[in-house]
Amino acid sequence: MIASDLTTGHAGPALIVAPHPDDEVLGAGGTMARMADAGREVHVVVVTRGKPPKFTDEQVATTRREARNAHDLLGVTKTHWMDFNAAELSEHAHSDLNGALGKLVRDIAPSLILAPHPGDIHMDHQLSFLSTLVASRPHQHDYPANILAYETLSETNWNAPYLTPAFVPNVFVDISDMIERKLEAFGKFESQVKQAPHERSVDSLRALATLRGATVHRSAAEGFVLVRSVI
């Protein structure tokens, strides 16, 4: 399906869950820009933060500055930082992440959540997805009506075929008018951008957008897997 109503400016806030800075731009940067341009509130929550000795304070400061620049370009309303240890999310009590995301969902009251795909190879992505579902359980008074999973180059495509959930998109957002802005936003992450043919390169990101777009006869698109939609 082609998503149109999901990106209008009259459907309540949207929340994009990013395990690490740049995941949200890789997976949904064009959709974020499209929603922001339509007048919709767009929130990003970055779940983890690099901690010594694996990451220096300078590296963390650089990445956060890059994220702010990228988010400003895409029109993000607010970026929320949770500061769980990057690459060590499995070492935290799962209830802590559930609680932190749950509070944020209650505070923002998003009608749409974009989350990482559960089949991603990175454990931080898998746990972020699971906690997103816990935070969005429909027995609550207010809960997100729409949840979609996005794909992250170098994470979603490196899973084990037939053994982990495959990313088979069934929702497509036309980003033909946003692709250059998405690529520019990704380029703001200078510490993360690689040279082609590395997957985290501008060329690879453009190629994926072209492929997803061609699937639905568009110049460029982002693909998502529909997790839930309550109409």
Side-chain angles (χ1 to χ4, degrees), residues 2-85:
I2 298 288
S4 56
D5 292 344
L6 292 178
T7 58
T8 65
H10 309 287
L15 175 63
I16 295 82
V17 179
H20 317 99
D22 85 356
D23 289 330
E24 73 288 1
V25 176
L26 287 166
T31 301
M32 290 161 58
R34 178 169 167 170
M35 290 190 292
D37 284 1
R40 190 170 191 171
E41 280 189 32
V42 177
H43 294 258
V44 173
V45 56
V46 181
V47 174
T48 67
R49 169 194 174 113
K51 299 286 180 70
K54 292 182 178 178
F55 305 92
T56 66
D57 290 338
E58 183 179 356
Q59 286 176 308
V60 172
T62 295
T63 303
R64 290 203 170 190
R65 182 178 64 253
E66 293 169 344
R68 283 194 297 271
N69 292 337
H71 292 177
D72 286 347
L73 180 61
L74 296 174
V76 171
T77 305
K78 185 174 181 179
T79 305
H80 309 262
W81 304 90
M82 285 194 166
D83 291 345
F84 288 92
N85 289 1

Side-chain angles (χ1 to χ4, degrees), residues 5 20 43 61 72 88 93-94 113 117 128 131 135 146 188 214 227:
D5 292 344
H20 317 99
H43 294 258
D72 286 347
E88 296 180 0
H94 194 50
I113 292 185
H117 188 255
S128 294
S131 287
N146 300 288
K188 299 293 184 183
V227 178

Side-chain angles (χ1 to χ4, degrees), residues 26-226:
L26 287 166
T31 301
M32 290 161 58
R34 178 169 167 170
M35 290 190 292
D37 284 1
R40 190 170 191 171
E41 280 189 32
V42 177
H43 294 258
V44 173
V45 56
V46 181
V47 174
T48 67
R49 169 194 174 113
K51 299 286 180 70
K54 292 182 178 178
F55 305 92
T56 66
D57 290 338
E58 183 179 356
Q59 286 176 308
V60 172
T62 295
T63 303
R64 290 203 170 190
R65 182 178 64 253
E66 293 169 344
R68 283 194 297 271
N69 292 337
H71 292 177
D72 286 347
L73 180 61
L74 296 174
V76 171
T77 305
K78 185 174 181 179
T79 305
H80 309 262
W81 304 90
M82 285 194 166
D83 291 345
F84 288 92
N85 289 1
E88 296 180 0
L89 202 51
S90 60
E91 304 303 313
H92 291 275
H94 194 50
S95 58
D96 290 347
L97 180 55
N98 293 346
L101 274 175
K103 182 180 185 306
L104 188 63
V105 169
R106 289 192 297 274
D107 290 345
I108 297 173
S111 59
L112 169 66
I113 292 185
L114 306 181
H117 188 255
D120 288 3
I121 194 171
H122 203 309
M123 184 67 72
D124 286 357
H125 289 229
Q126 298 171 28
L127 294 175
S128 294
F129 173 82
L130 291 175
S131 287
T132 297
L133 291 192
V134 172
S136 306
R137 287 179 292 195
H139 63 69
Q140 303 170 93
H141 182 267
D142 292 310
Y143 62 89
N146 300 288
I147 302 175
L148 303 174
Y150 61 81
E151 61 182 325
T152 308
L153 278 172
S154 80
E155 302 292 357
T156 310
N157 53 307
W158 279 106
N159 62 7
Y162 310 109
L163 300 179
T164 52
F167 185 86
V168 183
N170 54 5
V171 175
F172 299 83
V173 176
D174 186 347
I175 62 166
S176 301
D177 295 334
M178 305 295 172
I179 181 60
E180 297 304 329
R181 194 156 139 209
K182 170 177 178 165
L183 298 178
E184 184 181 353
F186 177 57
K188 299 293 184 183
F189 287 94
E190 295 180 4
S191 65
Q192 307 299 316
V193 174
K194 308 297 183 184
Q195 294 299 312
H198 195 286
E199 292 152 306
R200 293 201 175 210
S201 66
V202 171
D203 288 349
S204 296
L205 202 55
R206 184 188 296 278
L208 179 62
T210 300
L211 173 64
R212 296 304 181 206
T215 302
V216 290
H217 202 64
R218 299 293 191 277
S219 297
E222 288 171 336
F224 301 87
V225 174
L226 179 63

